[in-house]
Amino acid sequence: MVIKVDAVVVKEYVVGESDKYITLFTREYGIIQVGAPRAKKFDKGLASGTELFVYGEFVLTQYKHTYKLISVEPRYTFHHLRENLVILSYASYIAEFVSEVATESSGNSELLTLMLYALHSLNKSSEESAERIRRTFEMRALVVLGFTPELTRCVSCGMSVEGDEYATYTFLVEEGGLCCKKCRSMSALITLSYTTWYVLNYIRLAPYKTLFNFEIKPYVLQEMARLCDEMVAYYIEKSFKTLEFIKSLGILS
C-alpha cells in the first residue's frame, strides 16, 4: 500500500555506503521508522529530503509495520539550523524530545505543529535566544501532552489565584500547580515572580504564530528553567543526550 504522510525527520541513520533509515514524526501515524534504500549515494533528492529537521510530504510504501520511502517533497529544510553549533544543538534537543515522547501508531498534530514553530523560531534566531525558545517549547509541550500547569487556582483548596505584580507564587511540581499561602507544606516548592507567572500563562494560551515572539529578563528565564527542569523530570521521566552535549559546550550550568 502506498501512503502519503505529513512529517518531519527527527532521526537519520546512514547504513553502509548508500542506504539510510530515518525516523519520521508524522501528523497521521505518530513516530514511524522508514527505510530509504540508496538515498545517500544515488539520489540527491532523497539524500537532501531525508536530512534531520526536513519537513515535507513523504510518499511511502507500507506493509504491516514496515515502511519504505518512495519520494519526498520538502516544504521546509530549516537549513540555517546547521550554521551555528549552539542553534543546531538546541534544535537537536527538540527533535530528541519529540522522538522520546511521541508514540507509534498515534498521531499528535498539535505536537508536530509546536515542533515546527519552535524549529522555525530557532532557524531565524541568534544563539542568545535559544534557551528561551527551548523553555517555551518545553512548557507548551507539557500542555500538549496533558500536563498543563494549574496557574489560576490553588491545587489544594481551589482558591482563585489573582495576578499581583507585587506577589510571589508557590508552585508544587508533584501537584502540578500553584499553592496558596494557607496550603503551603514542607514539600519541595518553587517560587515564581509575578512576571514569570504572567509569562507562563502566556505560553499556556498563546497562538502558535506568536508563541515564541517575546523577550524576558534573565531572572525570569532562570525561574522558568528551574520549573521546566522539575516538571520534565517528574512528568516525562526521560533523559536526553543532547542536553549533556549542550552542557559540554558550557551553555548550561
Side-chain angles (χ1 to χ4, degrees), residues 156 170-175 179 183-190 226:
S156 295
T170 301
F171 195 97
L172 284 171
V173 172
E174 294 84 352
E175 300 297 329
C179 182
C183 297
R184 288 179 187 174
S185 66
M186 298 304 292
S187 303
L189 304 174
I190 295 178
R226 184 185 174 196

Side-chain angles (χ1 to χ4, degrees), residues 122-148:
L122 283 171
N123 195 55
K124 64 179 183 178
S125 299
S126 65
E127 61 182 65
E128 288 76 19
S129 300
E131 180 69 3
R132 172 183 54 80
I133 294 169
R134 168 204 167 182
R135 298 307 187 174
T136 302
F137 166 80
E138 287 176 334
M139 185 53 62
R140 188 58 171 261
L142 287 166
V143 173
V144 171
L145 294 169
F147 305 114
T148 304

Side-chain angles (χ1 to χ4, degrees), residues 57-74:
E57 182 182 76
F58 294 77
V59 180
L60 316 171
T61 59
Q62 179 187 12
Y63 177 70
K64 295 184 178 180
H65 298 292
T66 302
Y67 300 88
K68 286 189 178 181
L69 180 65
I70 298 174
S71 65
V72 55
E73 183 179 341

Side-chain angles (χ1 to χ4, degrees), residues 161-177:
V161 175
E162 303 294 337
D164 181 350
E165 62 181 310
Y166 300 107
T168 57
Y169 301 85
T170 301
F171 195 97
L172 284 171
V173 172
E174 294 84 352
E175 300 297 329

